[in-house]
Amino acid sequence: MAKKRIGILTGGGDCPGLNAVIRAVTKHAIGTYGWDVVGVEDGFQGLYEKRFQPLSLNSVRGLLARGGTILGSSNRANPFRYPCKLEGGGEEIRDVSEEVLHTLKDLDLEALVAVGGDGTMMMAQGLIERGARIVGVPKTIDNDLACTDYTFGFQTAVEIATEALDRLHTTAESHDRAILCEVMGRYAGWIAMTAGLSGGADVILIPEIPYRLERVVEAIQERKAKGITFSIVVVAEGAHPRGEAAAVVRKADPTQQEKLGGAADRLARELIHHIGEHDVRVTVLGHVQRGGTPSAFDRLLGTRYGVAAVDLVAQGRLGHLVGVRGNEICAVPIKDACGRLKLVEPDGELARVARQTGVELGA
Ligand code: F6P
């Protein structure tokens, strides 16, 4: 009898801990079940272009500490709205899901483990509804997926942002400045709130709580009145003033989401009218939050997710996505997990902790 085989792909933006998942899936599938493992390169793009690599115990050795994904990823390869290159230049958006489903059939997989965020899970669900055998593993530094308490990658991003805030404190203090630090997170303020609280920010602005400029100015001036001449303001990239939309650097198109950016610059342009140009500086952390070595927490969570995903395949629980509730691994149908964002509650525990420790949230 032919050996059973599973596939794995990583889709969407990368994040620390992806390689821990690839390693765990490979080790568990080969070591426990005696299956073969095939890696799909660059997410759904590799599935369409038929680019695969066999994964062995050797090929996943030493991966735990490595950031990124050894399989590569793609942000734009949606099988249902695929950007196909045209011969004379340019591209045409086509539905290539039929070709992708054929390729999956030819690969003869027990299941494909799709590691990704909400976008990847929506694509997976579309393929599942047409017969594909897929299980999901949730990833994103934004921690905004409703199916799980934690996505891996988030904790590493928070560590990086917290260290940045520590560093910004000393220079802000030396020069009597308000430093605005913009962090990622898309429409959720988890990174901003968590790193802001851990890094002792004075003001934390998140998308879930549209801010008023006066509150930010007052917070900085109140500190000055007390003789504290510097302030640290954490600005989530999706944070926006009341009545205004989030700052965007690229609009959505049929193949990709809009790209946020410029939230801290926008606030700085307003702030300088109140506290002076010399006193305001902006640091945008950007992709530093996504790169490099995963934290121990994310290596462990990625490993647990990888093992749980392989077990789902062994149990025949296809169409499910692994997650964690409390400290227990769980699984939910991918269709129930798609399109539901988990946001910071404006009056939830974290927001209360912030207010009760004197952090201004801008409302
Ligand atoms: O979803 C993860 C994330 O890093 C967001 O926090 C951020 O808005 C976005 O991806 C950046 O995307 P890109 O890597 O395409 O610039």
Short mmCIF file of all heavy atoms in Angstrom, two decimals, residues 75 140-142 184-186 237 259 287 290, ligand 1:
data_model
loop_
_atom_site.label_atom_id
_atom_site.label_comp_id
_atom_site.label_asym_id
_atom_site.label_seq_id
_atom_site.Cartn_x
_atom_site.Cartn_y
_atom_site.Cartn_z
N ASN A 75 1.23 36.87 -0.51
CA ASN A 75 0.13 37.70 -0.04
C ASN A 75 -1.00 37.79 -1.04
O ASN A 75 -2.12 38.11 -0.70
CB ASN A 75 0.64 39.12 0.20
CG ASN A 75 1.11 39.31 1.61
OD1 ASN A 75 0.65 38.63 2.51
ND2 ASN A 75 2.04 40.23 1.81
N THR A 140 -0.70 34.94 12.91
CA THR A 140 -0.59 36.36 12.61
C THR A 140 -0.03 37.08 13.83
O THR A 140 -0.37 36.74 14.97
CB THR A 140 -1.93 37.04 12.23
OG1 THR A 140 -1.74 38.47 12.28
CG2 THR A 140 -3.08 36.71 13.15
N ILE A 141 0.83 38.06 13.57
CA ILE A 141 1.31 38.84 14.71
C ILE A 141 0.18 39.70 15.29
O ILE A 141 0.28 40.16 16.41
CB ILE A 141 2.50 39.78 14.33
CG1 ILE A 141 2.09 40.82 13.29
CG2 ILE A 141 3.70 38.97 13.89
CD1 ILE A 141 3.08 41.97 13.17
N ASP A 142 -0.91 39.89 14.52
CA ASP A 142 -1.96 40.81 14.97
C ASP A 142 -2.83 40.23 16.09
O ASP A 142 -3.51 40.98 16.79
CB ASP A 142 -2.88 41.17 13.78
CG ASP A 142 -2.11 41.74 12.60
OD1 ASP A 142 -1.00 42.25 12.82
OD2 ASP A 142 -2.61 41.65 11.47
N MET A 184 2.36 47.65 14.39
CA MET A 184 1.42 46.98 13.47
C MET A 184 0.19 46.46 14.22
O MET A 184 0.03 46.72 15.42
CB MET A 184 2.14 45.83 12.77
CG MET A 184 3.05 46.29 11.65
SD MET A 184 3.75 44.85 10.81
CE MET A 184 4.40 45.63 9.33
N GLY A 185 -0.63 45.69 13.53
CA GLY A 185 -1.81 45.10 14.17
C GLY A 185 -3.07 45.22 13.34
O GLY A 185 -4.13 44.76 13.73
N ARG A 186 -2.95 45.90 12.21
CA ARG A 186 -4.10 46.13 11.32
C ARG A 186 -5.25 46.78 12.09
O ARG A 186 -5.04 47.79 12.73
CB ARG A 186 -4.53 44.83 10.65
CG ARG A 186 -4.33 44.91 9.14
CD ARG A 186 -4.94 43.74 8.46
NE ARG A 186 -3.92 42.84 7.94
CZ ARG A 186 -3.31 42.98 6.78
NH1 ARG A 186 -3.59 44.00 6.01
NH2 ARG A 186 -2.41 42.12 6.38
N GLU A 237 -1.21 51.06 14.11
CA GLU A 237 -1.30 51.55 12.72
C GLU A 237 -2.74 51.80 12.30
O GLU A 237 -3.00 52.62 11.42
CB GLU A 237 -0.63 50.56 11.75
CG GLU A 237 -1.28 49.18 11.73
CD GLU A 237 -0.61 48.21 10.77
OE1 GLU A 237 0.31 48.59 10.02
OE2 GLU A 237 -1.02 47.03 10.77
N LYS A 259 -3.42 48.61 2.67
CA LYS A 259 -2.24 48.61 3.54
C LYS A 259 -2.30 49.86 4.42
O LYS A 259 -2.36 50.98 3.92
CB LYS A 259 -0.97 48.61 2.69
CG LYS A 259 0.29 48.57 3.53
CD LYS A 259 1.49 48.14 2.73
CE LYS A 259 2.77 48.34 3.54
NZ LYS A 259 2.73 47.79 4.90
N HIS A 287 8.17 46.16 9.80
CA HIS A 287 8.37 44.71 9.68
C HIS A 287 9.41 44.14 10.64
O HIS A 287 9.55 42.92 10.73
CB HIS A 287 8.72 44.35 8.24
CG HIS A 287 7.56 44.55 7.32
ND1 HIS A 287 7.22 45.79 6.83
CD2 HIS A 287 6.62 43.68 6.86
CE1 HIS A 287 6.14 45.67 6.07
NE2 HIS A 287 5.75 44.42 6.08
N ARG A 290 7.96 41.58 12.65
CA ARG A 290 7.63 40.27 12.08
C ARG A 290 8.85 39.39 11.84
O ARG A 290 8.70 38.19 11.59
CB ARG A 290 6.91 40.46 10.74
CG ARG A 290 5.50 40.86 10.89
CD ARG A 290 4.57 40.38 9.82
NE ARG A 290 5.07 40.14 8.50
CZ ARG A 290 4.52 40.62 7.38
NH1 ARG A 290 3.47 41.40 7.45
NH2 ARG A 290 5.00 40.31 6.21
O1 F6P B 1 -1.20 41.02 9.31
C1 F6P B 1 0.14 41.14 9.64
C2 F6P B 1 0.68 42.48 9.24
O2 F6P B 1 2.02 42.57 9.64
C3 F6P B 1 -0.12 43.67 9.75
O3 F6P B 1 0.14 43.96 11.10
C4 F6P B 1 0.30 44.74 8.78
O4 F6P B 1 -0.68 45.74 8.65
C5 F6P B 1 0.45 44.00 7.50
O5 F6P B 1 0.63 42.63 7.83
C6 F6P B 1 1.61 44.45 6.66
O6 F6P B 1 1.54 43.78 5.45
P1 F6P B 1 2.71 43.77 4.40
O7 F6P B 1 3.75 42.78 4.88
O8 F6P B 1 2.05 43.33 3.15
O9 F6P B 1 3.29 45.15 4.32
#
